[in-house]
Amino acid sequence: MGGTFDPIHYGHLVTAEEAFVRFGLDKVVFIPSGNPPHKANRSVSDGSHRFIMAQMATITNPHFDVSRIEVDEDGPTYTVDTLKRLKAGEMRDAELIFITGADAILEICSWKSPRELFALCRFAAATRPGYVVSDELIKSVSAFGADRLEFFEVPALAISSTDIRLRVKEARPVRYLLPDGVISYIIKNGLYR
Ligand code: ATP
Ligand code: MG
């Protein structure tokens, strides 16, 4: 499961756990993205912060891991390159499933080398109850292999990192949206103020 994870929250964790069971996975690896180049639109927290928060949030789950593969890179990283590196190394024999939110699938079709990407991994896209898969989405994905994409439902969790960052900034409550340890880490390091 790739993402910015700025910060990681219960939407991510519930989705990962559901995918773990639904697809009979051996483990879920959270891969926080690398640091965007300077002057990128929004200032994303340093990769070391995002990595530590992901570790804190997953530490009690024996089948959750966090990878440094992207945060240790300078500049932007592309999922296709990350997956190729994983496949060349420790995950040589693994069957890879990329877990994502269904809303991100259209975006993925515009990522670097989508054809190669869909060959490297299958996609598991989380939908909320009542979510209707649009014809536009099916059409976009079918160019790369619709059989490489599967939807799965997670309980409605209208949690986003954007909302959490705004709440921290405005001193509104964030408790129960993300793990307590992550909240303490955010306060201690003065993130999102
Ligand atoms: P931001 O608001 O900064 O975009 P985010 O909450 O969307 O953050 P990301 O790090 O962008 O979090 O998301 C990583 C992955 O998790 C993406 O595939 C995204 O679609 C998925 N995701 C994010 N929030 C949820 C949620 N509440 N339920 C299910 N999946 C989610
Ligand atoms: Mg997002």
Side-chain angles (χ1 to χ4, degrees):
M1 185 172 192
T4 319
F5 300 120
D6 192 19
I8 192 166
H9 54 68
Y10 283 129
H12 300 132
L13 296 164
V14 164
T15 300
E17 184 67 7
E18 191 65 28
F20 177 80
V21 174
R22 172 77 162 70
F23 299 100
L25 308 180
D26 294 315
K27 61 176 173 178
V28 176
V29 184
F30 293 83
I31 307 184
S33 60
N35 288 316
H38 290 300
K39 289 182 186 162
N41 299 352
R42 162 175 97 70
S43 59
V44 173
S45 303
D46 198 80
S48 58
H49 284 316
R50 293 181 289 110
F51 175 80
I52 290 171
M53 290 190 284
Q55 263 204 325
M56 292 183 78
T58 56
I59 203 143
T60 54
N61 190 326
H63 51 255
F64 282 0
D65 272 346
V66 186
S67 168
R68 297 197 63 95
I69 191 164
E70 292 200 350
V71 295
D72 281 346
E73 287 289 301
D74 288 327
T77 42
Y78 297 98
T79 299
V80 66
D81 300 327
T82 299
L83 295 184
K84 274 198 268 187
R85 282 167 63 204
L86 288 174
K87 274 279 186 189
E90 51 183 311
M91 295 195 189
R92 187 176 310 274
D93 300 318
E95 183 192 339
L96 301 180
I97 299 188
F98 193 94
I99 304 165
T100 175
D103 28 348
I105 287 291
L106 267 183
E107 219 177 287
I108 289 170
C109 295
S110 67
W111 283 359
K112 184 185 170 190
S113 318
R115 209 165 295 278
E116 196 177 358
L117 187 59
F118 274 77
L120 279 163
C121 68
R122 282 159 59 210
F123 284 86
T127 62
R128 326 229 166 145
Y131 177 91
V132 181
V133 179
S134 73
D135 293 342
E136 185 199 4
L137 201 156
I138 296 292
K139 211 174 141 207
S140 308
V141 174
S142 61
F144 312 115
D147 57 323
R148 304 291 285 168
L149 168 66
E150 209 172 321
F151 292 93
F152 68 108
E153 195 173 285
V154 292
L157 279 173
I159 304 176
S160 75
S161 303
T162 301
D163 178 55
I164 290 170
R165 291 192 300 270
L166 194 65
R167 282 168 172 272
V168 171
K169 191 173 176 196
E170 297 176 345
R172 287 187 287 128
V174 292
R175 205 172 179 191
Y176 309 126
L177 297 176
L178 69 174
D180 288 341
V182 178
I183 297 175
S184 303
Y185 186 90
I186 289 169
I187 294 167
K188 181 171 175 177
N189 291 280
L191 301 182
Y192 315 129
R193 289 194 313 211

